[in-house]
Amino acid sequence: MEKIINQFLPKAIVLKNEILSGGLIHQTRKVTVEEEGISKAYVLQQFNANTFKEPYKVMKNLSLVQKHLSQQDYPLELPQAIETIKSKNLIEDDDGNFWRMFPFLKNSTSYDIPPNDDYLFEAGKAYGLFLTGLKDFDVEALEITIPNFHNLAQRFQTFLEILKIASPSRKEKAAKEIEQTLAFYHKFSIEFSNLPLRAVHNDSKLSNLLFDKDSQACVAVIDLDTLMPGYVVTDFGDMVRGMCNTSSEDEADLSKVSFDSKRYDLLEKGFLSATGDWLTKEEKDNLFNGAIYIILEQAIRFLGDYLNNDQYYSAKYPEHNFDRGRNQLCLLEDMILVNTSKFINR
Ligand code: GN1
Ligand code: MG
């Protein structure tokens, strides 16, 4: 690994190399190095080219967005991918693995679940500022790195295909959840094609924000790999999915899983504090629908992956994706139960 690091940082001596928790797709490490007598920290990522089949397109989108935001009055940090002496920001090793590096923002940290309710407004505002910085970005310029990424109808079709080939034992284990998924889809499949297509983050979870450890202010929106044309409401929905759940997304004890309306209100307030003056009325009216859409989609993805023998999401134990899927279904059920009036059936 030192060989890889030295391609980006030729004079670095590696002092420490530790796994950073968080992502389900790439493997991310924090490396501390000494460069000409000074100690510095970086993020080293082994890029998952199974998920992102065309890694250079991901890096191209990242550069385009970085260029655009640097020309705006964008108030947050934007860690730039480090370039090797050959001006490459992504390298391939002899085994076909892809690697990239970013500076580690000093005194920053990320969270899987909000440490307290103050983080909700801050997180909503941060993603709001990010989308505000991109509101005039030409979506046509973006590469589609994962086609149909947030296409619920397509995800549902894939789920039906998986059902046909799933092992009888996994299907039996998930029988109740499969029924529930089918029922939810028929009741809550929504379409947003009448909303404006914008450059959106597409993976707006709490752990993709960096906070200052002391001030608790959000300092950066990170992980722009899925940034593609999409809908603002599904970005908002993904925030709700991760941050308004009273537990983590893989909590197996469903008595701990519920939808927290107070957190929802704080998140929405923060989000609209940054976006309220330019979002269309239709977009604002569909924020709650965005959450239903994305939670249902995520339930389908997790449960579908369980039925498909965990080919997409890494699973720490055999029922991990099953537990994740049940968790999302439980969250969705609770969310609808307490908020039926917010759902606009179109
Ligand atoms: C994946 O890699 P990570 O953890 O940032 C996934 C998201 C899911 C999320 C669930 C490219 O994100 O879509 O919502 O897991 N990213 C991809 O935790 O599939
Ligand atoms: Mg991600």
Side-chain angles (χ1 to χ4, degrees), residues 25 203 205 208 223 225-226:
I25 304 294
D203 188 11
K205 50 189 194 185
N208 282 334
D223 188 1
D225 297 338
T226 46

Side-chain angles (χ1 to χ4, degrees), residues 22-26 51-52 146 149-150 202-203 205 208 223 226 238 241 249 298 301-302 312-313:
L24 269 58
I25 304 294
H26 306 308
T51 303
F52 295 96
I146 304 184
F149 190 58
H150 283 320
N202 282 320
D203 188 11
K205 50 189 194 185
N208 282 334
D223 188 1
T226 46
D238 221 0
R241 185 182 78 74
E249 70 180 10
Q298 192 68 62
R301 291 176 68 191
F302 281 148
Y312 190 88
Y313 289 113

Side-chain angles (χ1 to χ4, degrees), residues 170 250-252 310 314-321 323-324:
R170 288 202 172 202
D250 62 356
E251 174 59 62
D310 313 313
S314 52
K316 295 197 177 114
Y317 56 96
E319 284 84 36
H320 202 170
N321 281 313
D323 286 340
R324 286 171 172 144

Side-chain angles (χ1 to χ4, degrees), residues 63 148 202 230 334:
S63 305
N148 293 309
N202 282 320
D334 196 46

